[in-house]
Amino acid sequence: MKNKLTIGLIGFGCVGQGLYDIISKNSNPFIQIKKIAVKHKNKKRSLPMQHFTFDVQEIINDPEINVIVELIDDADEAYRIVKNSMRNGKAVVTANKKMVAEHLSELIELQNTYQIPLLYEASSCGGIPIIRTLEEYYNNEHLQSISGIFNGSSNYILTQIFQHGNTYAQALAEAQRLGFAESNPLLDVEGYDAKYKLIILTAHAFGVVIPPTDVFNIGISALTPRDLSWIRQAGLIVKLEAKAEIVQHNLLRVSVLPILNVPNSALGNISYEFNTVLVKAAFSDQQQFVGKGAGGHPTGSAVLSDIVALHYHYRYEYHKLHQSNNQIAFTNAHIIRILLRTKQKELLQQLDDCTILYSDNTQDEIVAIGSISLSKLNEIQQALLTTKSFVAELNEQAESMIRKTLIRHEALKSLTRLISAC
Ligand code: HSE
């Protein structure tokens, strides 16, 4: 990379402004933002208008600009910008997880074809430097799993609900106001955002590139006050967990779904917009990374770190992808234990070893526990979403706590019925 990094910044939302602010405060002599491309002509801006252009091509074609920093949230437009910029010989830094996850194989090829670096640390888990850690620190170690909380907005909402008794709607509005949520917040609360991040990390951690549609995701959007009430009674909390784990020799399970857990646990201790990544490795054992997963400054700081890395010619090597003896393959055949709360009785037929723990008087709402493969869950994902069914993965401890609570609840109901019949 040339000595001076002359940046064309595309997008001036929460992260773009965060980056601009950090660069202004750092006064780094080899970094200069030459121009910022924005879309909306009538939006009020925090900088004088001479900093801006409404024409992205002006930036991509400017011979003086050698780094494109792409921070827009339209993944399709971002893809076009990134490709054209690389073709034009410009290094690219992006935070767009959807775009990277959906086109990862091609983006790796483009880096080789044009011999141009593309860095995207800010795409995954905001301020936690996890991609470079996987690339550089764990490049030779066999990993057993990477898992954690990869979506700041969902975690913020769950914290507001469980620790402060706020409603889901209030908490979501607050996450939007603080700039944590995507412009379409369903991407956050239905687990898509965490899935894109997981796919990116899985490529670096295990050398496996998986199309997003193959990976099951569901989020927290179906949680009702009644769900919350019995989850609380059981002494549990909900966290949205992203997980890639070797489940059998060389077979990798990958998914995003809520889990029920005790509050004092590795994920339970992570609150608000904080993210965490748990890495389980063959020799270094388990390590936990924690940091702010959303917000202009934490994410902007990850973008700046990539820009600075370009200055010392850094590029991803994709070590695990290129290891000739890497035989890890993605599987959806893995079977997990879940709790399912639904109004749609047909969905219960998808569960093996199904136990109904609770059904209300009208049989309109059923809570059941059972086993199901990730491929079956992926097949019924749309049905789960449209019927607003709540799904959560259970470990043994959570299953036993839920069973005790709901069975006690049913016993109380029968007792009440008996007493009123007397
Ligand atoms: N909407 C994302 C989140 C922003 O809440 O985590 C950071 O990627």
Side-chain angles (χ1 to χ4, degrees):
M1 200 84 244
K2 286 180 195 154
N3 267 348
K4 190 159 180 205
L5 302 180
T6 305
I7 294 170
L9 174 58
I10 303 178
F12 202 60
C14 181
V15 180
Q17 291 181 59
L19 173 70
Y20 192 92
D21 195 34
I22 297 169
I23 289 180
S24 318
K25 284 182 179 139
N26 270 0
S27 64
N28 202 323
F30 58 84
I31 295 174
Q32 183 220 346
I33 296 181
K34 184 174 176 193
K35 207 77 183 178
I36 307 168
V38 288
K39 194 158 78 179
H40 300 292
K41 295 196 169 155
N42 299 326
K43 202 162 166 182
K44 206 164 168 267
R45 304 285 169 188
S46 51
L47 295 173
M49 276 325 284
Q50 73 262 22
H51 289 276
F52 296 98
T53 172
F54 301 106
D55 180 10
V56 174
Q57 290 310 321
E58 184 189 325
I59 288 191
I60 296 180
N61 295 326
D62 183 333
E64 216 180 73
I65 287 175
N66 53 6
V67 177
I68 298 292
V69 176
E70 178 286 305
L71 299 175
I72 62 173
D73 74 350
D74 176 339
D76 296 334
E77 180 60 14
Y79 172 58
R80 286 188 284 274
I81 290 171
V82 168
K83 260 189 7 179
N84 290 337
S85 304
M86 290 172 85
R87 269 196 203 119
N88 271 7
K90 297 182 195 307
V92 178
V93 174
T94 177
N96 200 309
K97 52 257 158 165
K98 183 170 192 280
M99 187 273 294
V100 175
E102 281 177 343
H103 301 282
L104 190 49
S105 297
E106 188 191 347
L107 293 173
I108 294 170
E109 257 180 59
L110 288 174
Q111 291 176 68
N112 289 332
T113 310
Y114 297 114
Q115 286 300 304
I116 286 289
L118 166 70
L119 301 180
Y120 42 81
E121 185 65 67
S123 67
S124 301
C125 306
I128 305 177
I130 189 64
I131 297 179
R132 252 183 278 165
T133 304
L134 292 171
E135 273 281 295
E136 305 308 319
Y137 184 86
Y138 291 109
N139 56 358
N140 269 306
E141 189 165 352
H142 178 71
L143 297 186
Q144 187 60 38
S145 65
I146 46 167
S147 60
I149 294 171
F150 294 0
N151 182 259
S153 303
S154 300
N155 205 45
Y156 184 86
I157 294 167
L158 291 171
T159 306
Q160 291 291 356
I161 291 173
F162 278 93
Q163 290 180 21
H164 304 289
N166 287 341
T167 65
Y168 179 92
Q170 282 168 338
L172 172 59
E174 190 63 5
Q176 287 179 292
R177 191 186 66 77
L178 292 168
F180 303 150
E182 302 298 301
S183 42
N184 173 6
L186 287 180
L187 293 174
D188 295 296
V189 295
E190 289 183 351
Y192 290 95
D193 175 83
K195 171 165 87 170
Y196 299 135
K197 294 167 181 168
L198 181 61
I199 283 171
I200 296 169
L201 297 191
T202 298
H204 290 273
F206 298 99
V208 181
V209 178
I210 311 163
T213 45
D214 287 0
V215 174
F216 173 67
N217 66 285
I218 200 147
I220 58 164
S221 57
L223 261 180
T224 63
R226 196 138 65 154
D227 296 332
L228 292 168
S229 147
W230 52 256
I231 291 169
R232 276 204 191 94
Q233 278 174 45
L236 294 167
I237 53 158
V238 180
K239 289 288 173 185
L240 182 60
E241 185 184 47
K243 188 179 212 168
E245 181 184 27
I246 303 281
V247 282
Q248 273 175 42
H249 185 60
N250 284 335
L251 286 181
L252 185 71
R253 148 253 167 124
V254 185
S255 59
V256 173
L257 76 160
I259 54 155
L260 299 186
N261 213 336
V262 288
N264 193 12
S265 53
L267 299 194
N269 289 327
I270 308 300
S271 302
Y272 301 102
E273 76 273 28
F274 278 82
N275 280 195
T276 189
V277 186
L278 290 146
V279 179
K280 201 156 185 221
F283 300 108
S284 50
D285 209 344
Q286 182 147 306
Q287 297 180 336
Q288 180 163 15
F289 302 83
V290 179
K292 285 194 172 170
H297 279 159
T299 316
S301 140
V303 175
L304 178 61
S305 175
D306 275 352
I307 296 171
V308 174
L310 289 175
H311 197 247
Y312 57 82
H313 308 280
Y314 182 76
R315 56 179 294 173
Y316 300 137
E317 299 289 339
Y318 300 95
H319 298 282
K320 298 266 167 98
L321 259 171
H322 296 132
Q323 273 166 9
S324 53
N325 59 349
N326 184 358
Q327 301 194 329
I328 296 173
F330 167 67
T331 182
N332 255 343
H334 183 62
I335 291 173
I336 59 172
R337 296 288 291 164
I338 61 161
L339 174 138
L340 171 63
R341 191 270 303 133
T342 187
K343 291 178 192 297
Q344 194 77 26
K345 284 189 204 130
E346 292 74 26
L347 286 174
L348 299 175
Q349 289 160 11
Q350 309 293 336
L351 297 183
D352 289 329
D353 309 322
C354 176
T355 318
I356 294 184
L357 293 184
Y358 169 83
S359 64
D360 65 8
N361 291 339
T362 55
Q363 294 260 315
D364 201 25
E365 182 167 276
I366 301 166
V367 180
I369 285 180
S371 303
I372 189 165
S373 68
L374 289 169
S375 61
K376 183 67 78 183
L377 276 171
N378 210 19
E379 270 168 39
I380 62 169
Q381 189 220 31
Q382 278 313 310
L384 292 167
L385 286 171
T386 48
T387 55
K388 296 190 184 341
S389 304
F390 176 66
V391 180
E393 185 167 357
L394 297 171
N395 59 24
E396 258 176 54
Q397 185 185 23
E399 178 164 345
S400 138
M401 288 163 84
I402 281 285
R403 278 181 186 276
K404 277 187 203 141
T405 306
L406 287 174
I407 289 166
R408 203 165 49 227
H409 188 274
E410 279 294 86
L412 264 177
K413 245 177 39 180
S414 316
L415 196 65
T416 318
R417 272 201 295 271
L418 215 65
I419 292 168
S420 49
C422 291

